[in-house]
Amino acid sequence: MRLCSFLSDGLTHVGVVDADDSVIDITRLSGSHTDDLPLTMSGWVELGINGIERLRQICEQNGSDHVVGKVGDLELVAPMGRLPRNVICVGVNYREHIEESERAVGEIEVPDVPVYFTKDVRSICGPFDDIASDDRISTQLDWEVELAVIIGRGGRGIRSVDALEHVFGYAVLNDVSARDVQLSRNQWWKGKSIEGSSPLGPFVVTRDEIPDPQDLELRCWVDGVEKQRSRTNLMIHDVAALISDLSRTLTLEPGDVISTGTPAGVGLARTPQEWLRPGSVLESEITGLGRQRNRIIELGE
Ligand code: MG
């Protein structure tokens, strides 16, 4: 199933998007249901695989009574709401991206184990939101299309072979990065956490529809010009390995987002370097997960 979150009368509703792009309003359907069903995406994610099955059931039973229109006519917001539980990111997880980064900034010491950092949850924005640029903060906003994994069943000590069973679904995330802030601080959190800079969505696609997360194409465009095009099979540490590794030291929780790193083609590594500027249009897409589109605007515009 493709799930989305959209605004209706000022409130965030959960939607299931049908093959013909019509949207069933799950929040309204849940509210009218005699069972105690979740009203938010987080609530459904916490039900894990049982939530996916229950959603499918209620859509089959009386989804057609709650169609609110086509997805293109709705105001979509970040699918996990404004504040997902946690956004754990993986750095340097594609060989070609490491090589291009080394050409740009010099040798990078890449350990055999995954490199993690977090994005503050306030950096997440909706899949079609404007992204504000402020030259007083950064003149080097860069793009990084990535596969994001949404955990549905938490756990500690998850084995790689079981790891994908802990996934609720997948989404597109652009790990927009203020390079001047990121690289001047010796720590990436601040430059990766500009408020409202990093679009998530448009959909969370449940894991039953993505049999192999290592067989997806990622693409990113700026002003219609393709900047990144790669495949998830080129990740150094795959989704299962990341879940397993993270859960060795930390209990993963439903709603945690793991962003799995970006392939080559970022602006930092181009000659000359390229940055997102007010007026730029950023588009990011992964096979089956939809395409997000964000305009860069001047702060206060
Ligand atoms: Mg990244």
Side-chain angles (χ1 to χ4, degrees):
M1 273 179 297
R2 281 187 299 166
L3 310 181
C4 66
S5 290
F6 63 96
L7 290 181
S8 175
D9 296 330
L11 297 174
T12 301
H13 285 220
V14 180
V16 166
V17 188
D18 272 348
D20 70 350
D21 281 348
S22 56
V23 177
I24 300 166
D25 186 337
I26 295 298
T27 300
R28 217 173 61 188
L29 197 165
S30 298
S32 67
H33 216 275
T34 47
D35 291 355
D36 199 12
L37 296 174
L39 301 176
T40 64
M41 184 76 82
S42 299
W44 284 104
V45 168
E46 279 178 20
L47 295 182
I49 191 70
N50 296 332
I52 297 173
E53 285 312 312
R54 193 77 181 97
L55 266 173
R56 198 186 308 285
Q57 275 174 8
I58 64 172
C59 286
E60 279 169 11
Q61 282 161 5
N62 44 6
S64 55
D65 299 340
H66 295 276
V67 171
V68 285
K70 296 288 185 184
V71 67
D73 298 327
L74 299 175
E75 190 178 344
L76 296 196
V77 296
M80 301 298 297
R82 196 171 153 260
L83 301 176
R85 183 181 290 276
N86 201 347
V87 184
I88 303 163
C89 294
V90 183
V92 290
N93 200 24
Y94 287 81
R95 189 88 47 207
E96 287 180 353
H97 176 56
I98 296 171
E99 289 166 6
E100 68 169 4
S101 299
E102 288 188 322
R103 285 196 295 275
V105 300
E107 193 180 338
I108 299 170
E109 207 175 306
V110 181
D112 295 336
V113 290
V115 173
Y116 301 111
F117 60 93
T118 61
K119 286 180 92 70
D120 192 282
V121 292
R122 287 162 289 189
S123 68
I124 299 299
C125 68
F128 304 107
D129 286 356
D130 292 339
I131 297 170
S133 165
D134 182 348
D135 280 359
R136 293 168 302 178
I137 295 170
S138 172
T139 56
Q140 298 187 349
L141 272 190
D142 202 351
W143 52 85
E144 294 195 356
V145 63
E146 304 193 4
L147 172 68
V149 178
I150 290 99
I151 295 295
R153 177 149 60 90
R156 178 120 191 234
I158 299 167
R159 298 186 308 165
S160 293
V161 288
D162 302 325
L164 297 186
E165 289 170 27
H166 289 257
V167 173
F168 181 83
Y170 300 93
V172 183
L173 182 122
N174 200 308
D175 174 23
V176 169
S177 305
R179 298 295 185 203
D180 35 8
V181 181
Q182 177 194 348
L183 298 174
S184 66
R185 301 263 175 170
N186 235 359
Q187 219 284 347
W188 294 358
W189 176 83
K190 192 170 177 66
K192 297 277 192 175
S193 296
I194 306 291
E195 184 143 334
S197 65
S198 300
L200 181 65
F203 309 119
V204 171
V205 177
T206 53
R207 73 168 160 91
D208 50 307
E209 303 221 352
I210 307 290
D212 184 0
Q214 307 306 142
D215 188 26
L216 304 173
E217 184 178 62
L218 316 95
R219 298 177 75 186
C220 177
W221 301 260
V222 178
D223 295 333
V225 178
E226 186 178 273
K227 300 296 182 186
Q228 293 183 281
R229 184 173 196 166
S230 189
R231 295 193 69 81
T232 53
N233 66 315
L234 296 174
M235 280 180 200
I236 297 170
H237 307 285
D238 64 18
V239 171
L242 293 170
I243 290 172
S244 175
D245 184 56
L246 279 166
S247 74
R248 288 179 65 205
T249 52
L250 178 79
T251 302
L252 289 174
E253 306 268 4
D256 280 336
V257 176
I258 303 169
S259 200
T260 54
T262 201
V266 301
L268 171 77
R270 291 176 172 270
T271 312
Q273 292 180 325
E274 298 175 21
W275 312 115
L276 298 167
R277 299 295 304 156
S280 301
V281 174
L282 175 64
E283 292 174 280
S284 315
E285 181 179 87
I286 298 177
T287 324
L289 305 184
R291 185 188 296 200
Q292 45 182 236
R293 186 176 192 278
N294 305 85
R295 207 165 51 105
I296 314 302
I297 59 163
E298 194 119 27
L299 185 71
E301 195 178 301

